[in-house]
Amino acid sequence: MALDYTQAAQEILDAIGGADNVVSAAHCATRLRLVLADDSKVDQQAVDNAAGAKGNFKASGQLQVIYGTGTVNKVYDEFIALGHISAASKAEAKAAAAEQQKNPFLRAIKLLGDVFVPIIPAIVASGLLLGIMSALSFMDSNGFISLETDNAWYQILNLVSNTAFTFLQILIGFSAAKAFGANPYLGAVMGMLLINPGLQNANTVATEGVQQTFTVIPGLYSIEWTGYQGHVIPIVIAAGILAFIEKRLHRIVPEAFDLFVTPLVSVAATAYIVMLAVGPIFVWAENAILGAIQFLLTLPLGLGSLIMGALYAPTVVTGIHQMYTTIDLGQIASYGVTYWLPLASAANIGQAGAALAVAVKTRDVKIRSLALPSSLSAFMGITEPAIFGVNLRFVKPFVAGCIGGGLGAMFASIVGLAAAGTGVTGIFGILLCLNQPVQYLIMFAIAALVGFGLSFVLYRDATDVQVEADHTPEAAVAQAAVSAPARDEAQAAAVSAAAADAALAAVNSEPATKAAPTTIVSPIRGTAIPMSQVSDPVFASEAMGGGIAIIPDEGKLYAPADGTIIVLAETGHAVGMNTDAGTEILMHIGIDTVGLEGKPFTPHVKVGEHVSAGQLLMDIDLDYIVAQGLDTVTPVIITNSAAYEAVEPCADGPVAAGDPIIRVH
């Protein structure tokens, strides 16, 4: 009997714990892909027994339920309608799945990326220029060069170089509020609050001390009246608090008063919390960390420097590095030089090398366009673009940069590398170490090469990681666990809904007739391999039917027989036809290529069109698929395998389009 799509959708919806448990729903050519909020709510037996389902498995954070081509579209439509669920693309479902799988630490890292990536262009531009201007100013004041700075041309560049960093908290406040779902303009106001001229500039605290305090609780608690220039975490926390308050006020404040009550209360309440609690906590943390650093620097064999070189970049994330000037000034006063600045320089160079490796290795043009200038900025001593925009965003490059920085700092400590002043690191830091230039260059090389090498080995584009996740042994084992009866039914899955129903009826009763024997030829030039070698478990297990797979070496797909096109995926990645002899064939170009949204596919036919054997069906940009880190292998599946006694692959190795590959009889 024909499958009731509404019943099928309702059964799977009930089995997974209802619509409230669905984070995202999408489908590809053969399976329903669900991202769930709580896997413990899933009734696995009910999923296994759901009407029309040919099997299921968990991979890449998704519950994937196999229905077959044509059938899955209709079950999906009913599923969306019954649950009042927002439809999602497969790419969006993967993104949601990835987000669900992140632990709290990785979610926090992603949040920082969401905050900083939009403002990276501003701080990259300022960072590069700030490094250049700092070096020019140092060389001018120390007699290396002579500059005329008393003119508009120089002064305008000087203004541009420090503007983004002077008002960084405003940029962060706007972006962080947007990331948390608050009004970004209120976030900008919070940023302005933390660097308000009414507060002592934080950059002067190291040299002038705290100028003013205010009592909160007489005799018990007072706060330092200082700003948060250079600090990152306080404004991010402020934006989170702002979003928490604002969202709840929008729910309870009457609409007539919402426009002025909600912003006023949100900003005022957040200001009190941040100024009275969040800010002072960071002041306490900074003082504790500075004391610990001074202790570490006294450890023998450069071990303390190794630790601090590795931990320097994480302290940049908090903004604590702004306080390190006190270490430089204290050492210069005591020894005439600072041993701390070379450590900081090594840490910056390590992050620069790590970001450069991402720029070299990535195939993503957007990531490369961000990573390359960020690494150049870091080589000049301004690491925020590299840390927040690239390395911390992908985690492993950040760790690689920390290791490079630690080893470079350890070498600097062992050889006694010292700087005659402070304020310049990276490439131009050598100007402060002209009494030990060789040692500085060796430190530079160690930090840069180790950071680059480890990052290059560890970093992978998201598409590479996703492909590996889709093809884990766990996914294959789960698919192999699909029951034999389910696989038998799966062979009845058809390329169209009507054909699927007919095939299912044939499985559930004695078929009146068998399809005519025939030989299927290759639709594409390449190398034939057994279906069992395909990395996708659904195809490898032949749950959709028997067949063979081709690794293509030419981007042209031809009709393997005379017949009618009955399926053409909107994203172009799959073509199905019913031959004049009654054989139903599905050609699936690549694995997970549905996420490419049709970019590498140029179809030359449409559904319902009758084609002749050898007719060009589609042009395929194989290079684009490979560049996205995806597999181009093309399964050729006989989806009505149940109509035949045998589906026998008859090719192995190189094949040309038109060569016999499958015999059915």
Side-chain angles (χ1 to χ4, degrees):
M1 58 181 292
L3 178 65
D4 184 329
Y5 302 113
T6 302
Q7 178 189 350
Q10 187 63 60
E11 288 186 15
I12 201 67
L13 189 63
D14 293 340
I16 62 173
D20 290 341
N21 198 33
V22 179
V23 174
S24 177
H27 75 89
C28 59
T30 58
R31 64 202 92 160
L32 183 66
R33 295 170 176 261
L34 306 175
V35 180
L36 306 179
D38 185 354
D39 289 339
S40 67
K41 294 182 179 180
V42 176
D43 182 342
Q44 189 58 52
Q45 184 174 358
V47 174
D48 293 339
N49 297 329
K54 309 301 183 294
N56 64 86
F57 62 97
K58 188 76 182 290
S60 305
Q62 301 175 355
L63 174 63
Q64 301 187 19
V65 186
I66 308 163
Y67 287 99
T69 312
T71 302
V72 68
N73 306 62
K74 297 195 175 184
V75 173
Y76 173 78
D77 290 342
E78 294 296 331
F79 183 86
I80 294 297
L82 287 171
H84 302 289
I85 298 165
S86 297
S89 69
K90 183 165 170 280
E92 291 169 336
K94 281 193 171 184
E99 187 64 23
Q100 285 295 108
Q101 295 183 92
K102 286 190 176 84
N103 60 38
F105 173 74
L106 292 181
R107 290 186 186 183
I109 295 299
K110 181 182 182 300
L111 176 63
L112 286 176
D114 292 341
V115 170
F116 279 90
V117 168
I119 65 175
I120 286 297
I123 60 178
V124 164
S126 286
L128 285 170
L129 192 53
L130 184 60
I132 294 170
M133 297 300 288
S134 297
L136 289 175
S137 176
F138 175 84
M139 288 187 287
D140 178 55
S141 61
N142 287 273
F144 293 100
I145 60 175
S146 178
L147 283 177
E148 177 56 56
T149 60
D150 190 19
N151 59 71
W153 299 98
Y154 182 90
Q155 292 302 325
I156 289 174
L157 279 181
N158 198 42
L159 280 176
V160 173
S161 70
N162 60 43
T163 296
F165 291 97
T166 300
F167 302 104
L168 182 61
Q169 281 59 41
I170 299 175
L171 293 176
I172 296 174
F174 185 95
S175 185
K178 193 172 182 179
F180 279 112
N183 185 320
Y185 298 97
L186 297 183
V189 170
M190 294 309 304
M192 296 174 193
L193 169 72
L194 295 183
I195 58 171
N196 192 298
L199 300 167
Q200 180 185 353
N201 191 302
N203 296 324
T204 67
V205 172
T207 55
E208 300 175 8
V210 176
Q211 300 296 306
Q212 190 175 18
T213 61
F214 282 105
T215 299
V216 179
I217 302 175
L220 293 176
Y221 184 50
S222 60
I223 60 172
E224 298 176 348
W225 204 237
T226 60
Y228 293 88
Q229 288 83 1
H231 295 270
V232 171
I233 300 301
I235 181 58
V236 175
I237 295 175
I241 296 170
L242 175 72
F244 179 86
I245 297 172
E246 184 188 3
K247 289 176 182 178
R248 280 151 183 79
L249 288 176
H250 279 310
R251 297 174 189 168
I252 62 176
V253 175
E255 188 173 345
F257 305 102
D258 187 54
L259 180 63
F260 60 90
V261 170
T262 297
L264 172 63
V265 175
S266 298
V267 169
T270 302
Y272 275 109
I273 295 171
V274 172
M275 297 299 291
L276 296 178
V278 174
I281 287 173
F282 272 85
V283 170
W284 171 84
E286 287 166 358
N287 291 333
I289 289 173
L290 286 173
I293 290 170
Q294 293 284 20
F295 168 76
L296 286 174
L297 293 179
T298 64
L299 295 179
L301 303 175
L303 294 178
S305 297
L306 170 66
I307 295 171
M308 277 318 306
L311 294 181
Y312 184 91
T315 65
V316 172
V317 176
T318 67
I320 293 172
H321 69 297
Q322 298 291 340
M323 304 298 292
Y324 291 158
T325 304
T326 57
I327 299 177
D328 278 324
L329 296 178
Q331 291 194 350
I332 290 172
S334 299
Y335 314 119
V337 294
T338 170
Y339 298 96
W340 172 256
L341 186 126
L343 274 61
S345 191
N348 292 344
I349 294 163
Q351 293 298 322
L356 182 61
V358 174
V360 171
K361 189 174 183 181
T362 185
R363 292 184 294 248
D364 189 307
V365 175
K366 290 184 179 179
I367 294 176
R368 182 180 297 113
S369 66
L370 178 62
L372 184 57
S374 295
S375 68
L376 295 178
S377 176
F379 275 123
M380 293 182 182
I382 308 299
T383 56
E384 283 85 353
I387 289 177
F388 293 109
V390 183
N391 297 348
L392 192 57
R393 177 181 172 189
F394 300 116
V395 183
K396 290 179 181 178
F398 182 69
V399 174
C402 289
I403 295 173
L407 292 176
M410 184 179 188
F411 172 81
S413 180
I414 291 173
V415 300
L417 182 60
T422 186
V424 182
T425 62
I427 292 172
F428 297 114
I430 195 172
L431 299 173
L432 296 173
C433 303
L434 291 179
N435 58 327
Q436 298 170 291
V438 175
Q439 290 91 329
Y440 190 90
L441 290 174
I442 295 174
M443 176 276 292
F444 191 107
I446 292 172
L449 292 176
V450 172
F452 180 93
L454 289 177
S455 180
F456 191 87
V457 171
L458 295 174
Y459 172 77
R460 288 173 293 171
D461 283 332
T463 50
D464 297 332
V465 176
Q466 187 61 56
V467 168
E468 290 186 14
D470 282 345
H471 301 147
T472 57
E474 291 80 0
V477 170
Q479 178 55 32
V482 175
S483 65
R487 290 184 184 177
D488 292 340
E489 284 190 37
Q491 292 180 343
V495 184
S496 67
D501 294 341
L504 274 172
V507 170
N508 294 324
S509 62
E510 287 297 321
T513 60
K514 291 287 185 179
T518 189
T519 297
I520 306 302
V521 302
S522 179
I524 197 166
R525 191 183 75 187
T527 302
I529 61 173
M531 194 73 81
S532 61
Q533 293 184 15
V534 176
S535 56
D536 187 287
V538 174
F539 298 129
S541 66
E542 298 192 345
M544 301 311 304
I548 198 169
I550 310 294
I551 302 173
D553 57 25
E554 181 183 46
K556 293 186 180 295
L557 186 75
Y558 300 97
D562 295 340
T564 302
I565 302 298
I566 56 175
V567 169
L568 178 59
E570 290 183 6
T571 52
H573 71 288
V575 180
M577 65 180 295
N578 191 355
T579 73
D580 291 346
T583 307
E584 293 167 359
I585 306 170
L586 175 66
M587 294 159 282
H588 195 286
I589 305 105
I591 304 301
D592 267 344
T593 46
V594 63
L596 300 181
E597 300 178 342
K599 293 176 182 176
F601 307 112
T602 305
H604 299 298
V605 293
K606 58 181 182 290
V607 173
E609 181 177 343
H610 189 275
V611 297
S612 301
Q615 180 176 334
L616 181 63
L617 304 180
M618 181 179 299
D619 281 311
I620 308 162
D621 187 345
L622 296 176
D623 290 338
Y624 182 86
I625 297 174
V626 172
Q628 304 311 304
L630 299 179
D631 193 344
T632 61
V633 67
T634 300
V636 180
I637 307 161
I638 308 302
T639 54
N640 64 336
S641 292
Y644 296 96
E645 292 181 359
V647 175
E648 300 175 347
C650 59
D652 185 20
V655 293
D659 287 353
I661 55 172
I662 304 170
R663 294 190 182 94
V664 293
H665 57 84

